[in-house]
């Protein structure tokens, strides 16, 4: 089970009696007993609230956060937990009010800005959400590809392909070449008819791949879409050659059989394509 940074930190803060592993209901049971023995410990309610939220019981989580806030009104992180639970429970406006209150005390908190961005996006305030994503990614110490993808998808929805590509490229610079970031960038370049830029990205992915056949097929399909039929046909033939070179145990799968059919179909499509290629955009 993947834990959020907040719940992981709370399990550490709770001390050796806290259960960091095992089914959620068992962990909640442990905290029930700890709370019965020490009912004034705010951290225990915060821990249990996070586990309730992970279990999908938002009302129970909010009840525990409220108890923690009454016991320890200076624990600002309770507002961040409330906001996360409320957004999970489709109450984006209430979530936004709590995360904004948290940010008045912790203005550079990356995870809070990320939660704010998601709340604003859910509320339809896309411009403010995009700005909040920028702040989040500027302050998150270890963002993952998902955060860059979220910002890119939002920018693309807003009709801002340059902003979308900038987000994906920033993620690549920070995290390294990642397929989940490069593939949507290739799609955006293709939509803009930026064939050379899309091919350059695809070639980088192909170069780092231990097996090339799937990427060669993608190259052929991209070249065919660009109207560059001679190059596309060669890419499809390269795909077939790469498939033929595979050991039988790898070759004899349904996925590879389907890939071979697509490559052969690609060669046929290149032969029947009109002689005039569509005009390419200069990159």
């Amino acid at each position: 089970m993947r834990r959020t940074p907040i719940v992981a930190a709370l399990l550490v803060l709770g001390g050796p009696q806290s259960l960091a592993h095992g089914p959620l209901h068992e962990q909640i049971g442990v905290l029930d007993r700890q709370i019965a023995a020490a009912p004034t410990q705010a951290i225990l309610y915060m821990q249990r609230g996070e586990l309730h939220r992970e279990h999908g019981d938002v009302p129970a989580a909010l009840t525990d956060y409220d108890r923690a806030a009454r016991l320890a009104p200076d624990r600002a992180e309770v507002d961040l937990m409330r906001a996360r639970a409320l957004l999970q429970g489709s109450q984006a406006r209430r979530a936004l009010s709590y995360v904004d209150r948290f940010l008045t005390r912790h203005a550079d908190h990356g995870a809070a800005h990320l939660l704010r961005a998601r709340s604003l996006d859910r509320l339809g305030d896309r411009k403010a959400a995009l700005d909040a994503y920028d702040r989040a990614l500027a302050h998150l110490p270890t963002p993952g590809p998902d955060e860059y993808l979220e910002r890119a998808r939002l920018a693309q929805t807003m009709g801002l392909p340059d902003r979308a590509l900038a987000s994906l490229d920033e993620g690549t610079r920070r995290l390294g070449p990642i397929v989940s970031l490069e593939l949507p960038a290739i799609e955006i370049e293709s939509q803009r008819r930026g064939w050379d830029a899309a091919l350059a990205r695809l070639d980088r992915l192909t170069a780092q791949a231990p097996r090339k056949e799937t990427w060669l097929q993608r190259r052929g399909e991209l070249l065919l879409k660009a109207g560059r039929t001679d190059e596309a046909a060669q890419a499809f033939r390269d795909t077939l050659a790469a498939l033929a070179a595979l050991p039988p145990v790898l070759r004899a799968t349904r996925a590879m059989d389907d890939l071979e059919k697509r490559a052969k179909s690609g060669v046929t499509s290149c032969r029947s394509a009109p002689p005039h290629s569509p005009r390419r955009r200069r990159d």
Side-chain angles (χ1 to χ4, degrees):
M1 177 178 60
R2 182 177 182 269
R3 297 200 176 280
T4 65
I6 288 177
V7 74
L10 285 174
L11 287 168
V12 172
L13 287 171
Q17 292 183 332
S18 294
L19 249 160
H21 302 286
L24 282 173
H25 69 275
E26 291 182 7
Q27 297 178 57
I28 291 169
V30 169
L31 284 165
D32 288 343
R33 293 189 290 275
Q34 291 181 358
I35 287 170
T40 61
Q41 295 296 310
I43 188 67
L44 297 177
Y45 292 101
M46 294 161 70
Q47 286 182 315
R48 191 173 67 178
E50 284 295 277
L51 294 175
H52 279 310
R53 184 186 60 78
E54 285 196 1
H55 195 252
D57 192 345
V58 170
L62 292 171
T63 296
D64 273 346
Y65 300 147
D66 288 344
R67 289 170 178 164
R70 288 195 295 270
L71 290 166
D74 291 335
R75 298 295 292 261
E77 63 268 35
V78 176
D79 279 343
L80 196 60
M81 295 174 196
R82 284 166 162 161
R84 194 186 304 274
L86 287 163
L87 187 60
Q88 182 176 322
S90 300
Q91 299 183 60
R93 195 163 299 282
R94 287 186 65 200
L96 184 61
S97 67
Y98 279 113
V99 78
D100 280 348
R101 187 166 74 177
F102 176 85
L103 282 167
T104 62
R105 299 173 65 177
H106 301 279
D108 296 334
H109 198 286
H113 283 292
L114 182 62
L115 191 55
R116 187 171 192 272
R118 290 168 176 166
S119 300
L120 287 164
D121 188 21
R122 194 80 60 86
L123 291 168
D125 193 345
R126 290 174 175 171
K127 183 180 184 304
L130 193 58
D131 291 342
Y133 272 115
D134 289 343
R135 294 189 187 94
L137 285 163
H139 293 296
L140 281 170
T142 55
D146 286 349
E147 287 75 40
Y148 293 102
L149 282 168
E150 286 180 34
R151 183 174 62 176
R153 287 167 183 157
L154 176 59
Q156 188 74 342
T157 300
M158 296 169 67
L160 301 171
D162 288 338
R163 285 287 296 274
L165 280 174
S167 180
L168 297 168
D169 286 339
E170 182 185 330
T172 298
R173 287 192 299 272
R174 191 164 181 180
L175 305 174
I178 296 176
V179 172
S180 62
L181 294 176
E182 286 286 23
L183 286 181
I186 291 169
E187 180 61 26
I188 293 170
E189 294 285 16
S190 299
Q191 290 171 1
R192 307 196 309 174
R193 303 178 69 80
W195 307 117
D196 288 340
L199 286 163
R201 292 177 185 275
L202 186 57
D203 288 346
R204 286 196 293 271
L205 290 177
T206 305
Q208 71 183 28
R211 288 175 53 179
K212 314 295 186 186
E213 61 274 1
T214 300
W215 299 109
L216 291 169
Q217 176 67 20
R218 283 181 179 271
R219 192 173 203 278
E221 292 167 351
L222 185 57
L223 286 162
L224 184 58
K225 190 184 295 186
R228 294 159 62 170
T229 53
D230 290 344
E231 295 172 80
Q234 184 59 55
F236 291 131
R237 288 193 290 269
D238 290 343
T239 304
L240 293 170
L243 286 168
L246 289 175
V249 68
L250 296 178
R251 177 69 186 81
T253 66
R254 182 170 181 175
M256 294 300 99
D257 185 55
D258 289 343
L259 187 62
E260 182 180 13
K261 291 176 181 176
R262 287 168 52 203
K264 288 179 177 178
S265 177
V267 172
T268 302
S269 297
C270 291
R271 290 172 182 160
S272 60
H276 297 293
S277 299
R279 190 176 178 182
R280 297 196 312 249
R281 193 194 98 172
R282 286 180 177 270
D283 293 307

